[in-house]
Amino acid sequence: EAQVTQNPRYLITVTGKKLTVTCSQNMNHEYMSWYRQDPGLGLRQIYYSMNVEVTDKGDVPEGYKVSRKEKRNFPLILESPSPNQTSLYFCASSLTQGPYEQYFGPGTRLTVT
Amino acid sequence: GENVEQHPSTLSVQEGDSAVIKCTYSDSASNYFPWYKQELGKRPQLIIDIRSNVGEKKDQRIAVTLNKTAKHFSLHITETQPEDSAVYFCAASKGTGNYGQNFVFGPGTRLSVLP
């Protein structure tokens, strides 16, 4: 089954404790992206990747890191989480040459206390 | 950079009526405009999209119109049903060509279809 998976689905952590949210897709998509969803703000892009070893900042990259060492995986790293990073996070993937439909993962609900 | 506005933020309609959601974008280079539907507790899913060389696209009860001159596009849902209740997001591509898949999303519209 074609899918995007994220782990963990729920995470409660404390300020400053490094964490990683994993994202994996099995559709051989070149493009992957991370978004955060906050009430009234829609989906805001954090980082994206056009292919292996090619990453770039989105609209709200501060406090986040990513890596793309393999085509299927695109982990999101919070080196020192802060309460303002409490949010719902979505990973998405798509082809780069079209169609451009983005397939989203199930989401990760992160709470930083 | 690209900025996408979306109105209204909430919309309630009676079952069977039509619903219209409007979006405006700022970057005249945008060439791809998808609409995503997010049901409560679920992930966003594409429902329809339109490219800049097309003025209108229809898929059963859903249609999207695009006015490039005015830089706005709209989602039209006819004969609404309770299962249409969800949050709808419009989006505009950040550029042309291979970056068509890089979007800026609007803030969303919560649609409630009342039985």
Side-chain angles (χ1 to χ4, degrees):
Chain A
E1 179 190 355
Q3 60 181 348
V4 179
T5 57
Q6 293 179 229
N7 282 292
R9 295 290 312 282
Y10 303 91
L11 179 59
I12 300 175
T13 189
V14 296
T15 299
K17 185 176 181 182
K18 181 180 178 180
L19 66 92
T20 299
V21 183
T22 64
C23 173
S24 184
Q25 50 92 7
N26 63 1
M27 295 171 279
N28 203 34
H29 286 166
E30 300 91 0
Y31 176 89
M32 298 185 75
S33 182
W34 275 103
Y35 299 93
R36 60 177 290 173
Q37 183 175 18
D38 303 290
L41 297 177
L43 294 151
R44 294 181 292 166
Q45 190 181 51
I46 302 170
Y47 270 93
Y48 66 96
S49 170
M50 299 294 287
N51 214 322
V52 176
E53 301 292 1
V54 181
T55 63
D56 207 347
K57 296 178 181 178
D59 299 311
V60 288
E62 294 77 20
Y64 305 94
K65 286 175 56 177
V66 294
S67 68
R68 187 91 182 272
K69 294 184 171 60
E70 304 167 284
K71 196 171 187 179
R72 63 184 292 126
N73 297 323
F74 190 44
L76 179 69
I77 303 156
L78 285 73
E79 294 267 4
S80 183
S82 63
N84 64 9
Q85 293 178 299
T86 293
S87 188
L88 177 60
Y89 291 86
F90 285 101
C91 178
S93 71
S94 74
L95 296 169
T96 55
Q97 298 301 317
Y100 296 137
E101 177 178 1
Q102 290 195 13
Y103 293 84
F104 283 80
T108 296
R109 173 82 57 189
L110 172 66
T111 302
V112 183
T113 61
Chain B
E2 176 70 278
N3 182 52
V4 177
E5 296 184 356
Q6 184 171 347
H7 298 281
S9 56
T10 60
L11 178 60
S12 293
V13 299
Q14 290 295 135
E15 183 176 357
D17 287 350
S18 295
V20 180
I21 302 170
K22 299 181 179 181
C23 289
T24 60
Y25 61 99
S26 61
D27 187 353
S28 57
S30 294
N31 64 352
Y32 177 66
F33 306 91
W35 286 87
Y36 282 77
K37 175 184 179 182
Q38 185 180 28
E39 297 176 359
L40 189 63
K42 301 281 184 67
R43 69 194 79 187
Q45 289 188 296
L46 179 72
I47 55 171
I48 195 167
D49 56 12
I50 191 168
R51 293 181 182 271
S52 58
N53 58 350
V54 175
E56 183 174 357
K57 184 178 179 180
K58 192 172 182 179
D59 183 3
Q60 299 182 338
R61 297 186 296 109
I62 294 173
V64 58
T65 58
L66 172 65
N67 183 326
K68 280 196 66 181
T69 303
K71 289 192 280 188
H72 67 71
F73 56 113
S74 299
L75 178 71
H76 305 252
I77 306 174
T78 58
E79 301 172 19
T80 53
Q81 300 167 2
E83 52 265 38
D84 294 329
S85 295
V87 178
Y88 291 81
F89 294 99
C90 63
S93 62
K94 288 186 178 181
T96 60
N98 288 339
Y99 290 85
Q101 71 276 63
N102 222 21
F103 309 148
V104 174
F105 283 89
T109 295
R110 182 173 300 279
L111 173 64
S112 299
V113 179
L114 309 174

